Amino acid sequence: MTLMDLPPRHMWHPDRWTPTSQGDETFARPRVGQLIGWRYATWRVAEVTVRSDADLTDEDRKVIAGFKPDYQDQVRPYAIVLRHERGPVLVEHTQRLHDGTVTVHLGVRAGRHHRWHMMDERYAVCACCNHPYPCQEFAQERIAEAEGARLSRLLDSHAPGVCANCREPISSRQKTVSFPEPSLLVPGAPGPVYHFGRWSCRHAAGRYELEHRLPAFPGVQRLASCSGVMFRHEADGREECTAAELCTDLHGPKSGRDGMACYTRTYVNGVRGGYPRPLSDCGYRKNGGCLGAEVGPTRPVPPGIADLFGGQQ
């Protein structure tokens, strides 16, 4: 088991827990004897073993070689043994010693930096369970409160005659978009209705279609989104969508970027194949060519429709 194999992090997940009485928060390799706060419990570092050259894999050596010589020792893979001291044991694959002590063996891969919450020897504990504060029960109560509030907002957003995004009444003169299928957010409720003349509500409708409706009903006609990204060229003001003839023209109200030069965004962890670029070059930039100015939602399109960009990545 390695730390990189742990479940994804989200709010109130044990891996996101931060003890109230923590000391330093560090990416440095812990030392034997130090106290660590992890997953609503305190753990004592019992052993730290840095991998020797003989134990390195070819991938390890390749990763280490990518760092400057002064830092190569710090990014070597290492194994760590933690001994449980106080709090719940929210860890799989633990080992119990003959004296009842619970230990866990973890590994940190080459080049990886794990964030450790170092604890002082004197730390606050919860009055209800004597676990490090805030305890898991406290977090569960906050989760229940947050989920209750979220459910209340969700039910309010599906009330008749109300916009699902802003939860304000919809008048007969306002443009709307209604999804004909039953709601995918509230079982048994009709499809949500959104203002289609307000930017935030229209964007929320597009997000609902991309994240919920299309995955559930892939063959339906789009009502609030497009498979491409709209660009405005600075040189001639021309607009074009990367979906070309498949464009639905549902990109939302204009964003008022008429004075902005042609450009595109760069994402380190962007969509598969990179972020789309305009299909043509207006020649606005002498060095590197036109990159286009985005119009409409500046968000990557969902994976699976990159083939609609015509290879212009």
Side-chain angles (χ1 to χ4, degrees):
M1 176 183 181
T2 69
L3 290 172
M4 302 307 297
D5 297 325
L6 297 176
R9 295 183 172 188
H10 56 82
M11 186 176 182
W12 296 110
H13 188 277
D15 285 331
R16 296 294 299 273
W17 176 71
T18 301
T20 301
S21 304
Q22 80 172 68
D24 295 331
E25 188 176 88
T26 178
F27 289 98
R29 191 182 303 146
R31 300 188 305 274
V32 173
Q34 287 187 305
L35 196 62
I36 289 176
W38 181 46
R39 293 192 167 190
Y40 297 101
T42 52
W43 299 76
R44 184 77 62 179
V45 179
E47 183 179 340
V48 177
T49 304
V50 181
R51 301 300 184 193
S52 63
D53 292 340
D55 295 327
L56 296 179
T57 65
D58 292 339
E59 181 64 23
D60 291 336
R61 294 186 177 90
K62 181 179 179 181
V63 171
I64 294 174
F67 290 82
K68 294 181 178 180
D70 294 343
Y71 295 96
Q72 291 183 357
D73 180 68
Q74 301 177 25
V75 298
R76 295 176 71 90
Y78 63 93
I80 184 170
V81 179
L82 301 179
R83 185 178 69 245
H84 178 258
E85 290 206 352
R86 188 194 298 264
V89 180
L90 305 179
V91 186
E92 297 180 354
H93 310 294
T94 59
Q95 296 182 2
R96 186 175 295 274
L97 305 181
H98 65 279
D99 60 355
T101 302
V102 176
T103 63
V104 62
H105 295 243
L106 300 172
V108 177
R109 298 173 183 172
R112 301 289 185 176
H113 296 285
H114 181 72
R115 187 192 304 272
W116 299 102
H117 297 293
M118 313 310 297
M119 297 279 289
D120 296 326
E121 292 298 328
R122 293 182 177 179
Y123 54 88
V125 296
C126 185
C128 69
C129 56
N130 205 35
H131 291 172
Y133 186 83
C135 67
Q136 187 182 23
E137 184 175 345
F138 175 86
Q140 291 172 343
E141 291 175 354
R142 302 290 83 74
I143 293 173
E145 293 175 359
E147 283 299 306
R150 186 187 68 84
L151 179 59
S152 178
R153 291 193 301 269
L154 194 58
L155 294 176
D156 291 343
S157 69
H158 283 67
V162 171
C163 173
N165 178 61
C166 64
R167 301 191 296 278
E168 295 181 3
I170 297 176
S171 69
S172 59
R173 302 181 59 182
Q174 291 176 312
K175 295 181 180 180
T176 63
V177 56
S178 302
F179 294 101
E181 304 84 9
S183 174
L184 298 170
L185 300 177
V186 178
V193 182
Y194 294 85
H195 287 119
F196 216 47
R198 297 181 180 179
W199 171 252
S200 61
C201 299
R202 188 166 185 165
H203 182 65
R207 187 170 64 250
Y208 173 83
E209 184 164 72
L210 292 174
E211 297 177 359
H212 302 284
R213 182 172 182 249
L214 293 182
F217 307 101
V220 297
Q221 180 181 0
R222 290 174 181 254
L223 300 177
S225 65
C226 182
S227 61
V229 175
M230 183 70 76
F231 289 89
R232 179 185 299 124
H233 291 280
E234 179 67 18
D236 51 14
R238 177 173 48 88
E239 296 180 350
E240 65 175 348
C241 176
T242 57
E245 67 276 3
L246 298 178
C247 177
T248 64
D249 198 30
L250 295 172
H251 292 281
K254 304 305 180 185
S255 60
R257 294 181 175 179
D258 295 330
M260 184 171 289
C262 303
Y263 81 107
T264 189
R265 294 175 183 268
T266 301
Y267 292 87
V268 176
N269 297 316
V271 296
R272 183 180 59 191
Y275 200 74
R277 294 186 179 185
L279 300 178
S280 62
D281 189 335
C282 70
Y284 176 74
R285 289 187 174 181
K286 296 181 179 180
N287 298 325
C290 158
L291 293 179
E294 295 154 315
V295 177
T298 56
R299 53 181 274 124
V301 293
I305 63 174
D307 54 326
L308 299 181
F309 298 148
Q312 300 294 326
Q313 301 292 334

